[in-house]
Amino acid sequence: MDTTGLDLAGLDLAGLVERFDLGDPGFIADPYPLLAALREATPVFFNERTGQWVLTRFADVADTLRDRRLGRVYTHRFTPAEFGRPEPDLRWKDFDDHERWSLLQLEPPDHTRIRQLITKVFTPRAVAALRPTVEAFADEHLDACGARGAFDVVADYAQPYSVAVICSLLGVPRADTPRLLDWSHAIVKMYELTTTDDQKVAANRAAAEFMDYTRALIAEKRRRPDEALVSRLATVEDGGATLSDAEIVCTVIVLLNAGHEATVNSLGNGLRAFLRHRDQWDQVTSGTVAPRVAVEEMIRWDAPLQLFERWVLEDGVEIAGQAIPRGAEVAMLFGSANRDPRRFREPERFLAGRGDTAHIGFGGGIHFCIGAPLARLELEVSLAGLSRRFPGIEATAEPAYHPTFVIRGLTELRVRT
Ligand code: HEM
């Protein structure tokens, strides 16, 4: 099967790598032909633009996620100078502080300690207990969308719904959600490889405001505890270990940011996939494929998170036959791994009933998505609600993508019912 598209035909590896420009709107709109061509050409290549070794295939990405010789950060073992990297830029200190104790910025032993404490309160049972609330939020927002007849899936449904769910889980007052959304949008720009200084200033300011807000929220929950997660994080204990205020602040913020953006983009990308594959949508509306099964394919086929990084912490690391030195950075292409024909049969096809839960969408190893049960619940409830109410839903405009590749999602998805 030729998935490489006409303009890629005949390009050698160097030509393909040249096209791998994470800021190119054409690539972002449809990265898959180039990803397929790169994946077939090589399992690993060096990206001069970002200074990273890039992995294209499922097995190497899955192994690397579990390889403890690599870490999400290196600062628990080495100084920036030892890794040939600049010292932290003090202009972005608030941003750095807001993720100082984020699970995504930690390696063992701190990661193990904090993840264990969070897992004690953020349990699959706590998530399952949230189902009626999640269903009520979906109903409320879908009622409003249905009444309009035409709506934007991203702004009118996915965003307010997903932020309402996560705020309810945490115990954040509903009236505060618009502010949280603004902070979250500003902060996640920092995770792109193409961030401008203006975006960094905005992200830093958002981080400072978000931390202040969360400190006040924790104090309030200590005065008036409830059953929600922030209260429980403030009191959780495991063999004498507890979370400090700074650790709770970072945890609340990472749960909100990591939880919200990826879920919104999965909903947008996934529904778009269904609108382009009517036969697959019909399988869901007719009850042939359960929404719980279909959400796995939504995440696999059009990954909302396309690229994750790791630092090489040890000498002697070799990936796909390529020696990668200590201090180097590795970028794993999740969207490419999830369409690797070595792992998935007919990977380019969107098959609602595929039912393969072992895709790479939620990662693997010690950083495996702690919110996966909640994300699956949110997507399932949404798909069930959308397919039941609006079986004839159709797109009314060609959707556009945010100009970002790492977190890849639609700016809007206009539909009519
Ligand atoms: C469809 C939606 C989601 C996707 C595709 C997704 C994907 C991921 C992936 C790939 C990772 C691993 C990152 C790495 O290995 O470097 C991750 C980690 C994480 N996710 Fe999710 N996620 C989703 C929803 C959520 C939700 C709803 C929450 C929280 C409520 C959440 C919270 C987290 C946290 C805290 C981590 C860090 C875990 C750690 O480092 O130990 N995610 N997610």
Side-chain angles (χ1 to χ4, degrees), residues 195-246:
T195 315
T196 64
D197 265 12
D198 283 352
Q199 287 172 326
K200 290 181 185 177
V201 169
N204 196 60
R205 191 182 319 119
E209 291 174 5
F210 206 160
M211 284 191 292
D212 285 345
Y213 173 87
T214 312
R215 279 188 209 103
L217 182 69
I218 295 166
E220 168 63 17
K221 297 288 178 183
R222 288 219 163 98
R223 279 193 297 275
R224 269 191 286 269
D226 56 25
E227 285 305 301
L229 212 63
V230 176
S231 280
R232 306 200 60 199
L233 290 169
T235 53
V236 67
E237 204 227 284
D238 186 32
T242 55
L243 291 170
S244 69
D245 278 15

Side-chain angles (χ1 to χ4, degrees), residues 65 72 103-104 111 115 122 166 254-255 258-259 262-263 266 299 304-305 308 310 334 361-363 366-371 374-375 378-379:
L65 283 167
R72 272 197 61 103
L103 285 181
L104 287 167
H111 179 270
R115 184 151 171 146
F122 190 26
I166 193 88
V254 73
L255 287 176
T263 310
S266 301
I299 297 169
L305 300 168
F308 280 95
R310 292 291 187 270
F334 277 34
F362 289 115
I366 65 164
H367 290 284
F368 181 83
C369 179
I370 202 169
L374 180 63
E378 284 186 67
L379 294 176

Side-chain angles (χ1 to χ4, degrees), residues 159 180-190 257 260-261:
Q159 282 188 350
L180 266 56
L181 257 185
D182 288 347
W183 290 329
S184 170
H185 289 328
I187 284 173
V188 296
K189 295 286 180 301
M190 207 67 139
N257 287 347
H260 163 70
E261 301 279 343

Side-chain angles (χ1 to χ4, degrees), residues 67 69-70 312-319 322-326:
D67 189 336
R69 297 173 303 165
L70 295 94
V312 178
L313 304 173
E314 310 267 346
D315 292 322
V317 169
E318 198 181 288
I319 302 175
Q322 172 67 52
I324 306 189
R326 180 160 64 90

Side-chain angles (χ1 to χ4, degrees), residues 151 271 274-275 277-287 383-395 416-417:
F151 63 98
L271 191 65
F274 272 115
L275 296 178
H277 298 86
R278 208 71 214 180
D279 55 333
Q280 301 302 310
W281 178 245
D282 293 344
Q283 293 205 20
V284 178
T285 57
S286 66
L383 190 58
L386 283 158
S387 60
R388 193 176 56 243
R389 285 159 186 261
F390 313 132
I393 191 171
E394 53 188 13
R416 67 169 158 250
T417 59

Side-chain angles (χ1 to χ4, degrees), residues 11-41:
L11 287 182
D12 61 4
L13 178 59
L16 294 171
V17 170
E18 180 58 32
R19 295 284 181 95
F20 185 70
D21 175 356
L22 305 185
D24 173 5
F27 172 64
I28 292 168
D30 184 11
Y32 295 108
L34 179 59
L35 293 180
L38 281 165
R39 192 175 53 233
E40 291 321 301

